[in-house]
Each structure stands twice: as C-alpha cells, then as structure tokens.
Amino acid sequence: FAPALSTLDGIYADADSFYRDEALLTAAEIYESDVADYAQAQQHYEKLLAEFPGSIHLERARERVRKLDEIKR
C-alpha cells in the first residue's frame, strides 16, 4: 500500500489539485481498512474535516472519526 499512499500524499500536497480532499479520504480508508493504523486514519479524517469544510466527503469522515473514537475506548 506504500505506493498508493505516496501517490495520495502527492495529490494532497498539490495545492492546485481538485482532489485533495478525496486523497485524504482515500488515504484514511487505506490506513483504517488495509494497514490497520487507526491513528493515521483518524489523523487523515480529521485533516479532511479541518481543511475542507465544503467537501462532499465530510459526513463519511465524521462517521469514521466517531467509529475510530469508539474503537479507542
């Protein structure tokens, strides 16, 4: 998954990209589902929430943050 995550990081880093929020969401989902690194997943979801308040992916990110909070308890 490292090559995919690296590509997604590159998309996010490109300030001109229209897909920055989607890159964060996809990276978060990879960290959560495939790598099982819940801390990284939550960090990416929260970054999406903070930096892209108009994103169509907000509800999905909020839902996943709540689920990850439940896992930590």
Side-chain angles (χ1 to χ4, degrees), residues 21-47:
D21 59 338
E22 191 154 345
L24 285 173
L25 178 70
T26 303
E29 290 174 340
I30 290 171
Y31 279 118
E32 182 179 1
S33 300
D34 299 312
V35 181
D37 185 338
Y38 301 124
Q40 278 291 334
Q42 187 152 3
Q43 179 181 353
H44 280 73
Y45 288 129
E46 289 176 352
K47 188 181 288 190

PDB file of all heavy atoms in Angstrom, residues 21-47:
ATOM      1  N   ASP A  21      -9.122  16.664  -1.068  1.00  0.00           N
ATOM      2  CA  ASP A  21      -9.967  16.076  -0.026  1.00  0.00           C
ATOM      3  C   ASP A  21     -10.187  14.587  -0.272  1.00  0.00           C
ATOM      4  O   ASP A  21     -10.151  13.780   0.649  1.00  0.00           O
ATOM      5  CB  ASP A  21     -11.299  16.809   0.101  1.00  0.00           C
ATOM      6  CG  ASP A  21     -12.126  16.817  -1.166  1.00  0.00           C
ATOM      7  OD1 ASP A  21     -11.571  16.643  -2.277  1.00  0.00           O
ATOM      8  OD2 ASP A  21     -13.357  16.987  -1.065  1.00  0.00           O
ATOM      9  N   GLU A  22     -10.356  14.222  -1.523  1.00  0.00           N
ATOM     10  CA  GLU A  22     -10.546  12.808  -1.845  1.00  0.00           C
ATOM     11  C   GLU A  22      -9.273  12.006  -1.571  1.00  0.00           C
ATOM     12  O   GLU A  22      -9.335  10.856  -1.139  1.00  0.00           O
ATOM     13  CB  GLU A  22     -10.969  12.641  -3.301  1.00  0.00           C
ATOM     14  CG  GLU A  22     -11.417  11.238  -3.599  1.00  0.00           C
ATOM     15  CD  GLU A  22     -12.390  11.153  -4.747  1.00  0.00           C
ATOM     16  OE1 GLU A  22     -12.955  12.172  -5.162  1.00  0.00           O
ATOM     17  OE2 GLU A  22     -12.577  10.027  -5.210  1.00  0.00           O
ATOM     18  N   ALA A  23      -8.121  12.628  -1.794  1.00  0.00           N
ATOM     19  CA  ALA A  23      -6.854  11.959  -1.485  1.00  0.00           C
ATOM     20  C   ALA A  23      -6.749  11.677   0.011  1.00  0.00           C
ATOM     21  O   ALA A  23      -6.327  10.592   0.418  1.00  0.00           O
ATOM     22  CB  ALA A  23      -5.674  12.802  -1.961  1.00  0.00           C
ATOM     23  N   LEU A  24      -7.146  12.649   0.833  1.00  0.00           N
ATOM     24  CA  LEU A  24      -7.123  12.425   2.285  1.00  0.00           C
ATOM     25  C   LEU A  24      -8.084  11.318   2.694  1.00  0.00           C
ATOM     26  O   LEU A  24      -7.744  10.462   3.515  1.00  0.00           O
ATOM     27  CB  LEU A  24      -7.488  13.716   3.028  1.00  0.00           C
ATOM     28  CG  LEU A  24      -6.425  14.795   3.086  1.00  0.00           C
ATOM     29  CD1 LEU A  24      -6.993  16.064   3.694  1.00  0.00           C
ATOM     30  CD2 LEU A  24      -5.223  14.320   3.876  1.00  0.00           C
ATOM     31  N   LEU A  25      -9.279  11.337   2.129  1.00  0.00           N
ATOM     32  CA  LEU A  25     -10.269  10.311   2.456  1.00  0.00           C
ATOM     33  C   LEU A  25      -9.765   8.927   2.065  1.00  0.00           C
ATOM     34  O   LEU A  25      -9.830   7.987   2.857  1.00  0.00           O
ATOM     35  CB  LEU A  25     -11.600  10.599   1.771  1.00  0.00           C
ATOM     36  CG  LEU A  25     -12.690   9.559   2.019  1.00  0.00           C
ATOM     37  CD1 LEU A  25     -13.176   9.616   3.459  1.00  0.00           C
ATOM     38  CD2 LEU A  25     -13.847   9.747   1.054  1.00  0.00           C
ATOM     39  N   THR A  26      -9.258   8.808   0.867  1.00  0.00           N
ATOM     40  CA  THR A  26      -8.783   7.509   0.390  1.00  0.00           C
ATOM     41  C   THR A  26      -7.604   7.014   1.217  1.00  0.00           C
ATOM     42  O   THR A  26      -7.553   5.834   1.587  1.00  0.00           O
ATOM     43  CB  THR A  26      -8.415   7.591  -1.105  1.00  0.00           C
ATOM     44  OG1 THR A  26      -9.562   8.052  -1.834  1.00  0.00           O
ATOM     45  CG2 THR A  26      -7.981   6.239  -1.643  1.00  0.00           C
ATOM     46  N   ALA A  27      -6.675   7.905   1.539  1.00  0.00           N
ATOM     47  CA  ALA A  27      -5.544   7.518   2.388  1.00  0.00           C
ATOM     48  C   ALA A  27      -6.039   7.069   3.760  1.00  0.00           C
ATOM     49  O   ALA A  27      -5.582   6.048   4.290  1.00  0.00           O
ATOM     50  CB  ALA A  27      -4.557   8.670   2.530  1.00  0.00           C
ATOM     51  N   ALA A  28      -6.977   7.793   4.322  1.00  0.00           N
ATOM     52  CA  ALA A  28      -7.530   7.416   5.629  1.00  0.00           C
ATOM     53  C   ALA A  28      -8.164   6.035   5.572  1.00  0.00           C
ATOM     54  O   ALA A  28      -7.975   5.213   6.479  1.00  0.00           O
ATOM     55  CB  ALA A  28      -8.555   8.450   6.082  1.00  0.00           C
ATOM     56  N   GLU A  29      -8.895   5.762   4.511  1.00  0.00           N
ATOM     57  CA  GLU A  29      -9.546   4.457   4.369  1.00  0.00           C
ATOM     58  C   GLU A  29      -8.524   3.338   4.218  1.00  0.00           C
ATOM     59  O   GLU A  29      -8.718   2.247   4.760  1.00  0.00           O
ATOM     60  CB  GLU A  29     -10.519   4.482   3.193  1.00  0.00           C
ATOM     61  CG  GLU A  29     -11.726   5.352   3.486  1.00  0.00           C
ATOM     62  CD  GLU A  29     -12.662   5.542   2.315  1.00  0.00           C
ATOM     63  OE1 GLU A  29     -12.234   5.340   1.143  1.00  0.00           O
ATOM     64  OE2 GLU A  29     -13.825   5.904   2.552  1.00  0.00           O
ATOM     65  N   ILE A  30      -7.435   3.605   3.506  1.00  0.00           N
ATOM     66  CA  ILE A  30      -6.369   2.596   3.386  1.00  0.00           C
ATOM     67  C   ILE A  30      -5.735   2.348   4.746  1.00  0.00           C
ATOM     68  O   ILE A  30      -5.544   1.196   5.155  1.00  0.00           O
ATOM     69  CB  ILE A  30      -5.313   3.029   2.350  1.00  0.00           C
ATOM     70  CG1 ILE A  30      -5.907   2.977   0.942  1.00  0.00           C
ATOM     71  CG2 ILE A  30      -4.058   2.158   2.455  1.00  0.00           C
ATOM     72  CD1 ILE A  30      -5.022   3.586  -0.130  1.00  0.00           C
ATOM     73  N   TYR A  31      -5.412   3.432   5.459  1.00  0.00           N
ATOM     74  CA  TYR A  31      -4.827   3.255   6.793  1.00  0.00           C
ATOM     75  C   TYR A  31      -5.772   2.485   7.711  1.00  0.00           C
ATOM     76  O   TYR A  31      -5.339   1.625   8.477  1.00  0.00           O
ATOM     77  CB  TYR A  31      -4.484   4.606   7.425  1.00  0.00           C
ATOM     78  CG  TYR A  31      -3.186   5.186   6.953  1.00  0.00           C
ATOM     79  CD1 TYR A  31      -3.154   6.399   6.280  1.00  0.00           C
ATOM     80  CD2 TYR A  31      -1.975   4.537   7.178  1.00  0.00           C
ATOM     81  CE1 TYR A  31      -1.952   6.954   5.842  1.00  0.00           C
ATOM     82  CE2 TYR A  31      -0.772   5.074   6.756  1.00  0.00           C
ATOM     83  CZ  TYR A  31      -0.771   6.274   6.087  1.00  0.00           C
ATOM     84  OH  TYR A  31       0.418   6.813   5.658  1.00  0.00           O
ATOM     85  N   GLU A  32      -7.041   2.773   7.634  1.00  0.00           N
ATOM     86  CA  GLU A  32      -8.002   2.121   8.522  1.00  0.00           C
ATOM     87  C   GLU A  32      -8.249   0.662   8.138  1.00  0.00           C
ATOM     88  O   GLU A  32      -8.154  -0.230   8.978  1.00  0.00           O
ATOM     89  CB  GLU A  32      -9.324   2.887   8.493  1.00  0.00           C
ATOM     90  CG  GLU A  32     -10.375   2.305   9.413  1.00  0.00           C
ATOM     91  CD  GLU A  32     -11.672   3.077   9.399  1.00  0.00           C
ATOM     92  OE1 GLU A  32     -11.797   4.083   8.658  1.00  0.00           O
ATOM     93  OE2 GLU A  32     -12.573   2.675  10.135  1.00  0.00           O
ATOM     94  N   SER A  33      -8.559   0.423   6.885  1.00  0.00           N
ATOM     95  CA  SER A  33      -9.023  -0.905   6.464  1.00  0.00           C
ATOM     96  C   SER A  33      -7.904  -1.866   6.087  1.00  0.00           C
ATOM     97  O   SER A  33      -8.021  -3.066   6.354  1.00  0.00           O
ATOM     98  CB  SER A  33      -9.961  -0.764   5.262  1.00  0.00           C
ATOM     99  OG  SER A  33     -11.067   0.025   5.602  1.00  0.00           O
ATOM    100  N   ASP A  34      -6.873  -1.357   5.458  1.00  0.00           N
ATOM    101  CA  ASP A  34      -5.848  -2.246   4.915  1.00  0.00           C
ATOM    102  C   ASP A  34      -4.591  -2.322   5.765  1.00  0.00           C
ATOM    103  O   ASP A  34      -3.962  -3.361   5.841  1.00  0.00           O
ATOM    104  CB  ASP A  34      -5.476  -1.798   3.490  1.00  0.00           C
ATOM    105  CG  ASP A  34      -6.672  -1.856   2.554  1.00  0.00           C
ATOM    106  OD1 ASP A  34      -7.368  -2.876   2.545  1.00  0.00           O
ATOM    107  OD2 ASP A  34      -6.912  -0.860   1.846  1.00  0.00           O
ATOM    108  N   VAL A  35      -4.221  -1.215   6.395  1.00  0.00           N
ATOM    109  CA  VAL A  35      -2.994  -1.169   7.180  1.00  0.00           C
ATOM    110  C   VAL A  35      -3.283  -1.342   8.678  1.00  0.00           C
ATOM    111  O   VAL A  35      -2.404  -1.732   9.440  1.00  0.00           O
ATOM    112  CB  VAL A  35      -2.228   0.154   6.909  1.00  0.00           C
ATOM    113  CG1 VAL A  35      -0.934   0.224   7.690  1.00  0.00           C
ATOM    114  CG2 VAL A  35      -1.957   0.318   5.416  1.00  0.00           C
ATOM    115  N   ALA A  36      -4.511  -1.056   9.085  1.00  0.00           N
ATOM    116  CA  ALA A  36      -4.931  -1.115  10.490  1.00  0.00           C
ATOM    117  C   ALA A  36      -4.120  -0.156  11.363  1.00  0.00           C
ATOM    118  O   ALA A  36      -3.816  -0.444  12.508  1.00  0.00           O
ATOM    119  CB  ALA A  36      -4.873  -2.535  11.041  1.00  0.00           C
ATOM    120  N   ASP A  37      -3.781   0.987  10.798  1.00  0.00           N
ATOM    121  CA  ASP A  37      -3.118   2.056  11.548  1.00  0.00           C
ATOM    122  C   ASP A  37      -4.194   3.107  11.834  1.00  0.00           C
ATOM    123  O   ASP A  37      -4.385   4.059  11.079  1.00  0.00           O
ATOM    124  CB  ASP A  37      -1.969   2.647  10.734  1.00  0.00           C
ATOM    125  CG  ASP A  37      -1.170   3.688  11.504  1.00  0.00           C
ATOM    126  OD1 ASP A  37      -1.706   4.257  12.485  1.00  0.00           O
ATOM    127  OD2 ASP A  37      -0.016   3.948  11.115  1.00  0.00           O
ATOM    128  N   TYR A  38      -4.900   2.899  12.929  1.00  0.00           N
ATOM    129  CA  TYR A  38      -6.063   3.724  13.237  1.00  0.00           C
ATOM    130  C   TYR A  38      -5.691   5.161  13.577  1.00  0.00           C
ATOM    131  O   TYR A  38      -6.446   6.083  13.296  1.00  0.00           O
ATOM    132  CB  TYR A  38      -6.883   3.090  14.348  1.00  0.00           C
ATOM    133  CG  TYR A  38      -7.354   1.699  13.984  1.00  0.00           C
ATOM    134  CD1 TYR A  38      -7.064   0.614  14.793  1.00  0.00           C
ATOM    135  CD2 TYR A  38      -8.070   1.478  12.817  1.00  0.00           C
ATOM    136  CE1 TYR A  38      -7.483  -0.664  14.449  1.00  0.00           C
ATOM    137  CE2 TYR A  38      -8.495   0.210  12.460  1.00  0.00           C
ATOM    138  CZ  TYR A  38      -8.191  -0.860  13.283  1.00  0.00           C
ATOM    139  OH  TYR A  38      -8.612  -2.116  12.919  1.00  0.00           O
ATOM    140  N   ALA A  39      -4.518   5.369  14.153  1.00  0.00           N
ATOM    141  CA  ALA A  39      -4.080   6.725  14.479  1.00  0.00           C
ATOM    142  C   ALA A  39      -3.861   7.535  13.195  1.00  0.00           C
ATOM    143  O   ALA A  39      -4.298   8.691  13.104  1.00  0.00           O
ATOM    144  CB  ALA A  39      -2.807   6.693  15.317  1.00  0.00           C
ATOM    145  N   GLN A  40      -3.202   6.931  12.212  1.00  0.00           N
ATOM    146  CA  GLN A  40      -3.000   7.617  10.935  1.00  0.00           C
ATOM    147  C   GLN A  40      -4.333   7.845  10.223  1.00  0.00           C
ATOM    148  O   GLN A  40      -4.551   8.901   9.623  1.00  0.00           O
ATOM    149  CB  GLN A  40      -2.065   6.815  10.023  1.00  0.00           C
ATOM    150  CG  GLN A  40      -0.612   7.006  10.310  1.00  0.00           C
ATOM    151  CD  GLN A  40      -0.124   8.398   9.961  1.00  0.00           C
ATOM    152  OE1 GLN A  40      -0.675   9.086   9.113  1.00  0.00           O
ATOM    153  NE2 GLN A  40       0.923   8.823  10.639  1.00  0.00           N
ATOM    154  N   ALA A  41      -5.201   6.871  10.291  1.00  0.00           N
ATOM    155  CA  ALA A  41      -6.517   7.016   9.665  1.00  0.00           C
ATOM    156  C   ALA A  41      -7.255   8.198  10.273  1.00  0.00           C
ATOM    157  O   ALA A  41      -7.761   9.065   9.551  1.00  0.00           O
ATOM    158  CB  ALA A  41      -7.332   5.735   9.841  1.00  0.00           C
ATOM    159  N   GLN A  42      -7.290   8.249  11.586  1.00  0.00           N
ATOM    160  CA  GLN A  42      -8.005   9.335  12.251  1.00  0.00           C
ATOM    161  C   GLN A  42      -7.370  10.685  11.937  1.00  0.00           C
ATOM    162  O   GLN A  42      -8.073  11.669  11.709  1.00  0.00           O
ATOM    163  CB  GLN A  42      -8.056   9.115  13.756  1.00  0.00           C
ATOM    164  CG  GLN A  42      -8.932  10.144  14.450  1.00  0.00           C
ATOM    165  CD  GLN A  42      -9.539   9.632  15.725  1.00  0.00           C
ATOM    166  OE1 GLN A  42      -9.272   8.520  16.152  1.00  0.00           O
ATOM    167  NE2 GLN A  42     -10.367  10.426  16.339  1.00  0.00           N
ATOM    168  N   GLN A  43      -6.057  10.734  11.884  1.00  0.00           N
ATOM    169  CA  GLN A  43      -5.370  11.982  11.556  1.00  0.00           C
ATOM    170  C   GLN A  43      -5.784  12.471  10.165  1.00  0.00           C
ATOM    171  O   GLN A  43      -6.050  13.660   9.978  1.00  0.00           O
ATOM    172  CB  GLN A  43      -3.860  11.778  11.609  1.00  0.00           C
ATOM    173  CG  GLN A  43      -3.064  13.008  11.266  1.00  0.00           C
ATOM    174  CD  GLN A  43      -1.558  12.745  11.307  1.00  0.00           C
ATOM    175  OE1 GLN A  43      -1.096  11.692  11.715  1.00  0.00           O
ATOM    176  NE2 GLN A  43      -0.799  13.712  10.863  1.00  0.00           N
ATOM    177  N   HIS A  44      -5.878  11.576   9.209  1.00  0.00           N
ATOM    178  CA  HIS A  44      -6.262  11.964   7.854  1.00  0.00           C
ATOM    179  C   HIS A  44      -7.732  12.397   7.800  1.00  0.00           C
ATOM    180  O   HIS A  44      -8.065  13.376   7.133  1.00  0.00           O
ATOM    181  CB  HIS A  44      -5.992  10.822   6.874  1.00  0.00           C
ATOM    182  CG  HIS A  44      -4.559  10.727   6.464  1.00  0.00           C
ATOM    183  ND1 HIS A  44      -3.576  10.260   7.298  1.00  0.00           N
ATOM    184  CD2 HIS A  44      -3.944  11.059   5.309  1.00  0.00           C
ATOM    185  CE1 HIS A  44      -2.424  10.302   6.682  1.00  0.00           C
ATOM    186  NE2 HIS A  44      -2.618  10.784   5.461  1.00  0.00           N
ATOM    187  N   TYR A  45      -8.610  11.669   8.485  1.00  0.00           N
ATOM    188  CA  TYR A  45     -10.022  12.071   8.508  1.00  0.00           C
ATOM    189  C   TYR A  45     -10.167  13.461   9.136  1.00  0.00           C
ATOM    190  O   TYR A  45     -10.903  14.308   8.630  1.00  0.00           O
ATOM    191  CB  TYR A  45     -10.868  11.080   9.311  1.00  0.00           C
ATOM    192  CG  TYR A  45     -11.097   9.747   8.649  1.00  0.00           C
ATOM    193  CD1 TYR A  45     -10.844   8.562   9.335  1.00  0.00           C
ATOM    194  CD2 TYR A  45     -11.615   9.648   7.359  1.00  0.00           C
ATOM    195  CE1 TYR A  45     -11.081   7.326   8.751  1.00  0.00           C
ATOM    196  CE2 TYR A  45     -11.851   8.422   6.768  1.00  0.00           C
ATOM    197  CZ  TYR A  45     -11.578   7.251   7.468  1.00  0.00           C
ATOM    198  OH  TYR A  45     -11.811   6.035   6.889  1.00  0.00           O
ATOM    199  N   GLU A  46      -9.474  13.692  10.244  1.00  0.00           N
ATOM    200  CA  GLU A  46      -9.586  14.977  10.937  1.00  0.00           C
ATOM    201  C   GLU A  46      -8.989  16.113  10.105  1.00  0.00           C
ATOM    202  O   GLU A  46      -9.508  17.234  10.128  1.00  0.00           O
ATOM    203  CB  GLU A  46      -8.940  14.882  12.318  1.00  0.00           C
ATOM    204  CG  GLU A  46      -9.775  14.034  13.261  1.00  0.00           C
ATOM    205  CD  GLU A  46      -9.156  13.807  14.623  1.00  0.00           C
ATOM    206  OE1 GLU A  46      -7.980  14.178  14.832  1.00  0.00           O
ATOM    207  OE2 GLU A  46      -9.854  13.242  15.483  1.00  0.00           O
ATOM    208  N   LYS A  47      -7.935  15.828   9.372  1.00  0.00           N
ATOM    209  CA  LYS A  47      -7.358  16.846   8.487  1.00  0.00           C
ATOM    210  C   LYS A  47      -8.370  17.218   7.404  1.00  0.00           C
ATOM    211  O   LYS A  47      -8.544  18.390   7.084  1.00  0.00           O
ATOM    212  CB  LYS A  47      -6.064  16.324   7.856  1.00  0.00           C
ATOM    213  CG  LYS A  47      -5.304  17.377   7.078  1.00  0.00           C
ATOM    214  CD  LYS A  47      -4.048  16.816   6.451  1.00  0.00           C
ATOM    215  CE  LYS A  47      -2.995  16.527   7.496  1.00  0.00           C
ATOM    216  NZ  LYS A  47      -1.682  16.212   6.895  1.00  0.00           N
TER     217      LYS A  47
END
